[in-house]
mmCIF file of all heavy atoms in Angstrom:
data_model
loop_
_atom_site.group_PDB
_atom_site.id
_atom_site.type_symbol
_atom_site.label_atom_id
_atom_site.label_comp_id
_atom_site.label_asym_id
_atom_site.label_seq_id
_atom_site.Cartn_x
_atom_site.Cartn_y
_atom_site.Cartn_z
ATOM 1 N N ILE A 180 1.014 4.949 1.517
ATOM 2 C CA ILE A 180 0.185 4.464 2.646
ATOM 3 C C ILE A 180 0.953 4.222 3.902
ATOM 4 O O ILE A 180 0.570 4.602 5.029
ATOM 5 C CB ILE A 180 -0.438 3.129 2.230
ATOM 6 C CG1 ILE A 180 -1.517 3.353 1.079
ATOM 7 C CG2 ILE A 180 -1.151 2.409 3.373
ATOM 8 C CD1 ILE A 180 -2.236 2.202 0.609
ATOM 9 N N PHE A 181 2.174 3.682 3.809
ATOM 10 C CA PHE A 181 2.996 3.372 4.977
ATOM 11 C C PHE A 181 3.322 4.655 5.674
ATOM 12 O O PHE A 181 3.079 4.746 6.969
ATOM 13 C CB PHE A 181 4.233 2.715 4.524
ATOM 14 C CG PHE A 181 5.244 2.396 5.688
ATOM 15 C CD1 PHE A 181 5.114 1.170 6.272
ATOM 16 C CD2 PHE A 181 6.171 3.303 6.105
ATOM 17 C CE1 PHE A 181 5.898 0.836 7.445
ATOM 18 C CE2 PHE A 181 7.009 2.998 7.168
ATOM 19 C CZ PHE A 181 6.853 1.803 7.859
ATOM 20 N N CYS A 182 3.763 5.691 5.092
ATOM 21 C CA CYS A 182 4.168 6.959 5.706
ATOM 22 C C CYS A 182 2.940 7.694 6.159
ATOM 23 O O CYS A 182 2.890 8.339 7.315
ATOM 24 C CB CYS A 182 4.898 7.849 4.730
ATOM 25 S SG CYS A 182 6.578 7.212 4.276
ATOM 26 N N SER A 183 1.805 7.672 5.394
ATOM 27 C CA SER A 183 0.523 8.325 5.837
ATOM 28 C C SER A 183 0.003 7.734 7.156
ATOM 29 O O SER A 183 -0.437 8.466 7.948
ATOM 30 C CB SER A 183 -0.475 8.215 4.728
ATOM 31 O OG SER A 183 -0.027 8.852 3.531
ATOM 32 N N VAL A 184 0.097 6.461 7.284
ATOM 33 C CA VAL A 184 -0.387 5.745 8.488
ATOM 34 C C VAL A 184 0.359 6.296 9.665
ATOM 35 O O VAL A 184 -0.273 6.614 10.722
ATOM 36 C CB VAL A 184 -0.226 4.200 8.414
ATOM 37 C CG1 VAL A 184 -0.374 3.541 9.817
ATOM 38 C CG2 VAL A 184 -1.210 3.562 7.407
ATOM 39 N N PHE A 185 1.738 6.490 9.590
ATOM 40 C CA PHE A 185 2.524 7.051 10.655
ATOM 41 C C PHE A 185 2.162 8.394 10.920
ATOM 42 O O PHE A 185 1.960 8.843 12.124
ATOM 43 C CB PHE A 185 3.973 6.803 10.395
ATOM 44 C CG PHE A 185 4.547 5.541 10.834
ATOM 45 C CD1 PHE A 185 4.418 4.411 9.978
ATOM 46 C CD2 PHE A 185 5.125 5.438 12.112
ATOM 47 C CE1 PHE A 185 5.018 3.169 10.487
ATOM 48 C CE2 PHE A 185 5.511 4.199 12.576
ATOM 49 C CZ PHE A 185 5.564 3.124 11.675
ATOM 50 N N PHE A 186 2.123 9.248 9.864
ATOM 51 C CA PHE A 186 1.917 10.700 10.045
ATOM 52 C C PHE A 186 0.496 11.072 10.555
ATOM 53 O O PHE A 186 0.260 11.938 11.481
ATOM 54 C CB PHE A 186 2.280 11.469 8.824
ATOM 55 C CG PHE A 186 3.743 11.441 8.441
ATOM 56 C CD1 PHE A 186 4.190 11.128 7.183
ATOM 57 C CD2 PHE A 186 4.672 11.495 9.484
ATOM 58 C CE1 PHE A 186 5.438 11.115 6.868
ATOM 59 C CE2 PHE A 186 6.056 11.514 9.246
ATOM 60 C CZ PHE A 186 6.460 11.279 7.828
ATOM 61 N N ILE A 187 -0.594 10.424 10.077
ATOM 62 C CA ILE A 187 -1.886 10.657 10.524
ATOM 63 C C ILE A 187 -2.017 10.075 11.873
ATOM 64 O O ILE A 187 -2.645 10.678 12.745
ATOM 65 C CB ILE A 187 -2.934 10.014 9.543
ATOM 66 C CG1 ILE A 187 -2.856 10.563 8.123
ATOM 67 C CG2 ILE A 187 -4.396 10.080 10.059
ATOM 68 C CD1 ILE A 187 -3.789 9.908 7.133
ATOM 69 N N GLY A 188 -1.480 8.926 12.106
ATOM 70 C CA GLY A 188 -1.501 8.390 13.460
ATOM 71 C C GLY A 188 -0.835 9.240 14.515
ATOM 72 O O GLY A 188 -1.316 9.375 15.647
ATOM 73 N N PHE A 189 0.207 9.881 14.038
ATOM 74 C CA PHE A 189 1.014 10.789 14.966
ATOM 75 C C PHE A 189 0.148 12.039 15.401
ATOM 76 O O PHE A 189 -0.025 12.384 16.534
ATOM 77 C CB PHE A 189 2.260 11.326 14.205
ATOM 78 C CG PHE A 189 3.049 12.281 15.083
ATOM 79 C CD1 PHE A 189 3.867 11.860 16.117
ATOM 80 C CD2 PHE A 189 2.971 13.582 14.761
ATOM 81 C CE1 PHE A 189 4.607 12.780 16.903
ATOM 82 C CE2 PHE A 189 3.663 14.525 15.494
ATOM 83 C CZ PHE A 189 4.480 14.178 16.595
#
Side-chain angles (χ1 to χ4, degrees):
I180 290 180
F181 182 89
C182 293
S183 297
V184 167
F185 271 87
F186 293 137
I187 296 175
F189 177 80

